[in-house]
Amino acid sequence: MRFDSIIIGGGLSGLISGIALARGGSKVALISAGGSALHFFSGSLELWHEGAMAMVPFCEKHPSHPYAKIDTARVERYTTIVKDIFARVGITLQGSSEQNHLRLTPLGALKPAWLTMEGYATFSLGGECDYHSVAVVGIEGYLDFYPEFIAESLSNRGLECGVYNVRLTTLGGLRESSTEMRAVQLSRALSGKTIEELARQIAEKIEDEEVVLLPAIFGLGDKDATKRIEAVVGRRVLVAPTVSASVAGVRVQKALMDEFQRLGGTVLNNDSATGCRIEEGKVVAIRTANLEDEELVAENYILATGSFFGRGLVATAEGVYEPVVGVDVVAPASREEWYSKDLLDAQPFERFGVATDNKFHPLLDGKPIENLYAIGALLAGADAVKEGCGGGIAVMSALRVVEEIEKRG
Ligand SMILES: Cc1cc2nc3c(=O)[nH]c(=O)nc-3n(C[C@H](O)[C@H](O)[C@H](O)COP(=O)(O)OP(=O)(O)OC[C@H]3O[C@@H](n4cnc5c(N)ncnc54)[C@H](O)[C@@H]3O)c2cc1C
């Protein structure tokens, strides 16, 4: 099978690059081994913990950081493109590259964010919002949302908070089985009568709070669930992220995958790239686990396989390596240097990744492979946890590489 571009990895970076290339008229294939970091998505994309303005002096001092290679002058334009891609699949992202806002974590802390899905509770950088009181509502038996923690955190910020729990009787077997009471299963069950019951109970229980805050478990069953609850309770309904699997992330991944296919992209689902053939410094074909006898051929190849979490990087007793092409990895040989013993310190392994030139061509024995690109969490040099930059690097490196591929023609 022959394509203009083959993308390996169906997480955020692979999907954004696939959609952008397919929109430009390219014939694209995407090999997707399955779940990605999106399955734990908070509902917010992070750009940079200190805001976009602070990226400029940082990149001047750190030329090997992915953002320095993307060039911060592109951030505003790429923000518009990302918001547009999400808008076309029916997901509104709030926020801009001018200033971060704050989002809630599942335990109630506030964290800087760049773009947040509409419907999530957000706050200005100073921690303000346009309401004064909140009813935080949990669902009995659902263990991945902590109303008390969230209410305590919001109370400390001057909001009046009430904590309530509702008991849904229309969930059937799901309610009895605490192991199945996870966000994704619950979301699928939340439609029709169950939404009606939830809305009715909230309306009966809460006092005069202005806003109702619920766990982010809506969108896989009834897509208009929060609007229907709002209509019954007569108050604004917002959501907060949950621990464990993310309903929003599952929805985003499916919506972006559908959009890629709608644009003519080919998906090799539940398959994984197992190796490649390199001739005269170029990748000429990719092998996959499912297509034993056939190679996939393209002009360009994009590695969007993620970091350790996505298995784009693998660590063994011998070292850290990239398993598909075997390109150079930035990681010290000594395991002692991989991590800090203090859990709260920055962890060196977060910055491990594939070495690239300034156009994101991975290096093989120090030399760039001119028709291969690396994007997203696979890239070396960033610490997504400490720098709050995972989502931004995923989408911006994807768009930067698409620009490069389209320029080459
Ligand atoms: C648990 C978790 C939660 C996060 N939450 C957020 C958040 O809320 N906001 C934020 O901004 N950032 C978050 N991040 C940072 C995150 O890394 C980026 O936001 C981004 O989603 C990374 O996307 P990616 O496509 O580069 O990698 P991944 O999401 O890891 O996707 C890589 C994909 O490639 C596939 N793959 C790997 N090897 C192969 C192969 N050989 N063949 C085919 N497919 C393969 C994997 O199965 C996976 O689907 C989170 C990270 C983690 C680990």
Side-chain angles (χ1 to χ4, degrees):
M1 281 190 265
R2 187 172 283 274
F3 299 91
D4 295 326
S5 294
I6 294 175
I7 300 160
I8 305 164
L12 183 61
S13 63
L15 287 165
I16 292 291
S17 62
I19 288 172
L21 281 168
R23 262 189 186 185
S26 285
K27 189 177 172 199
V28 194
L30 186 143
I31 307 167
S32 174
S36 70
L38 274 177
H39 284 218
F40 295 88
F41 182 46
S42 60
S44 298
L45 294 171
E46 297 175 345
L47 178 68
W48 189 247
H49 59 310
E50 292 172 318
M53 293 294 281
M55 286 160 71
V56 180
F58 175 87
C59 289
E60 280 166 10
K61 284 195 199 133
H62 300 88
S64 59
H65 194 280
Y67 277 143
K69 297 178 185 177
I70 289 161
D71 185 351
T72 51
R74 292 185 165 90
V75 167
E76 195 181 336
R77 184 161 54 88
Y78 285 178
T79 302
T80 307
I81 298 175
V82 173
K83 288 177 88 166
D84 178 60
I85 289 176
F86 275 74
R88 279 169 190 251
V89 301
I91 296 170
T92 304
L93 292 177
Q94 296 170 328
S96 76
S97 57
E98 274 163 36
Q99 197 175 48
N100 277 336
H101 53 270
L102 299 177
R103 62 138 176 126
L104 274 173
T105 70
L107 296 184
L110 295 187
K111 225 183 149 202
W114 164 46
L115 300 172
T116 295
M117 283 170 71
E118 190 178 38
Y120 275 77
T122 59
F123 303 83
S124 72
L125 260 187
E128 295 98 17
C129 57
D130 61 359
Y131 45 90
H132 303 96
S133 56
V134 188
V136 189
V137 181
I139 295 171
E140 210 175 281
Y142 175 57
L143 305 176
D144 294 335
F145 183 65
Y146 308 109
E148 288 80 8
F149 285 175
I150 291 183
E152 188 184 332
S153 162
L154 296 182
S155 300
N156 290 340
R157 292 172 189 279
L159 286 169
E160 280 175 37
C161 292
V163 175
Y164 306 90
N165 266 298
V166 295
R167 184 168 200 275
L168 296 176
T169 57
T170 47
L171 283 175
L174 194 57
R175 208 177 62 78
E176 272 74 57
S177 167
S178 61
T179 51
E180 282 178 26
M181 204 59 150
R182 314 311 297 200
V184 174
Q185 288 80 354
L186 193 52
S187 181
R188 293 206 170 102
L190 281 171
S191 58
K193 274 190 185 159
T194 315
I195 290 291
E196 278 166 32
E197 189 190 13
L198 177 62
R200 195 168 20 81
Q201 283 204 40
I202 295 172
E204 281 165 16
K205 288 197 171 185
I206 63 173
E207 294 178 5
D208 56 358
E209 292 91 351
E210 290 164 72
V211 163
V212 175
L213 188 64
L214 289 165
I217 49 171
F218 305 99
L220 296 181
D222 181 343
K223 297 214 167 14
D224 293 321
T226 50
K227 289 205 171 63
R228 288 181 50 208
I229 298 169
E230 273 178 349
V232 175
V233 299
R235 266 115 338 144
R236 193 168 5 149
V237 171
L238 296 174
V239 296
T242 60
V243 292
S244 85
S246 156
V247 168
V250 171
R251 191 177 145 217
V252 167
Q253 177 138 358
K254 181 171 182 323
L256 295 178
M257 192 66 95
D258 288 350
E259 174 71 355
F260 173 66
Q261 287 176 293
R262 193 188 66 76
L263 291 165
T266 301
V267 178
L268 284 83
N269 230 337
N270 299 320
D271 198 358
S272 52
T274 49
C276 74
R277 195 149 52 85
I278 296 180
E279 286 174 9
E280 294 171 6
K282 284 174 78 174
V283 178
V284 292
I286 290 275
R287 294 183 298 278
T288 80
N290 292 352
L291 297 172
E292 276 174 9
D293 305 324
E294 194 177 0
E295 288 184 327
L296 298 175
V297 176
E299 296 296 319
N300 300 290
Y301 301 82
I302 301 178
L303 272 177
T305 47
S307 184
F308 297 104
F309 181 83
R311 293 193 62 76
L313 291 181
V314 176
T316 65
E318 282 72 48
V320 176
Y321 69 99
E322 183 287 306
V324 179
V325 186
V327 289
D328 300 351
V329 162
V330 180
S334 158
R335 287 171 74 93
E336 293 295 301
E337 294 172 50
W338 290 6
Y339 58 91
S340 161
K341 285 189 177 123
D342 183 343
L343 273 181
L344 298 177
D345 271 359
Q347 292 296 333
F349 64 80
E350 293 283 353
R351 291 190 191 278
F352 295 1
V354 158
T356 72
D357 68 4
N358 283 343
K359 289 181 175 167
F360 295 109
H361 297 296
L363 309 183
L364 184 62
D365 299 329
K367 287 197 193 114
I369 304 180
E370 63 179 76
N371 69 338
L372 178 69
Y373 298 86
I375 59 175
L378 177 65
L379 293 168
D383 181 338
V385 177
K386 285 283 169 194
E387 296 170 350
C389 61
I393 287 178
V395 297
M396 298 224 176
S397 60
L399 293 174
R400 177 70 193 95
V401 159
V402 169
E403 215 169 83
E404 196 54 35
I405 289 174
E406 288 180 341
K407 199 168 83 188
R408 280 165 52 129

